[in-house]
Amino acid sequence: MSEESKTCEADPFCGIKSAKDPANATDFEKKHTPTIKAPDTVKPGEFFDVTIEVGKAVSHPNEPGHFIQWIELYSGPTFIARVDLTPALADTAVTIPVRLEHLHPLKAIARCNLHGAWLGEKNIKA
Ligand SMILES: [Fe+2]
C-alpha cells in the first residue's frame, strides 16, 4: 500500500457509510443517510408502506454531476427491493409497499455517485 492510498473510511466507495454519532450527525452525514418512514408496529403478512428519503434533514443535490443513483431496501439481511434513480426526479424519495412474514429491522442503502453508499435503519415490531 502506498502512502497515497486512502483509508477505507476516507474512501467514499469502500464499504457502507453511516453517521459516526447519529445524535450529532454532520450536515454531510445528514445529507446522505437515508431516512425510513414506516409504521412502528406491523402485522406479519400484511402490506404496509415504507418510504425512504435521502436528504430529508439536509437537502442532497439532484443534478447530473451529483445525485443518488439507487436505493435498496432490506429486512434484516433479506433483500426486498431496489429502485434506480436519475437526476430527472424532483425528490429523492421512494415509497415501496411491502409484506413481510418475518420482521427484522428495516435497512435502506442509498448510493451517491460521488460519496458512496449510506445506511439508514428503522426497527419495526409485531
Ligand atoms: Fe453526495
Side-chain angles (χ1 to χ4, degrees):
M1 180 188 289
S2 76
E3 287 184 344
E4 295 180 13
S5 296
K6 292 179 182 176
T7 63
C8 181
E9 187 174 309
D11 180 348
F13 299 106
C14 182
I16 299 171
K17 311 300 184 190
S18 59
K20 291 175 183 60
D21 177 5
N24 297 294
T26 66
D27 282 354
F28 181 77
E29 291 170 334
K30 290 177 184 174
K31 189 184 296 187
H32 289 92
T33 302
T35 301
I36 301 173
K37 182 180 167 194
D40 293 328
T41 303
V42 300
K43 291 184 179 171
E46 291 191 3
F47 278 104
F48 62 98
D49 283 342
V50 177
T51 296
I52 304 161
E53 186 173 1
V54 180
K56 185 178 174 76
V58 177
S59 181
H60 186 277
N62 197 25
E63 55 196 34
H66 188 190
F67 66 103
I68 301 299
Q69 298 174 298
W70 49 256
I71 294 171
E72 291 181 343
L73 174 64
Y74 293 81
S75 171
T78 305
F79 173 77
I80 302 297
R82 176 185 170 117
V83 180
D84 291 308
L85 307 171
T86 73
L89 303 176
D91 295 312
T92 306
V94 299
T95 297
I96 303 167
V98 301
R99 179 176 57 197
L100 302 173
E101 294 296 333
H102 308 284
L103 302 180
H104 299 282
L106 296 172
K107 299 182 179 194
I109 300 173
R111 189 180 194 273
C112 167
N113 70 316
L114 295 181
H115 303 112
W118 289 74
L119 174 69
E121 298 180 272
K122 176 179 175 43
N123 286 322
I124 57 172
K125 61 184 178 184

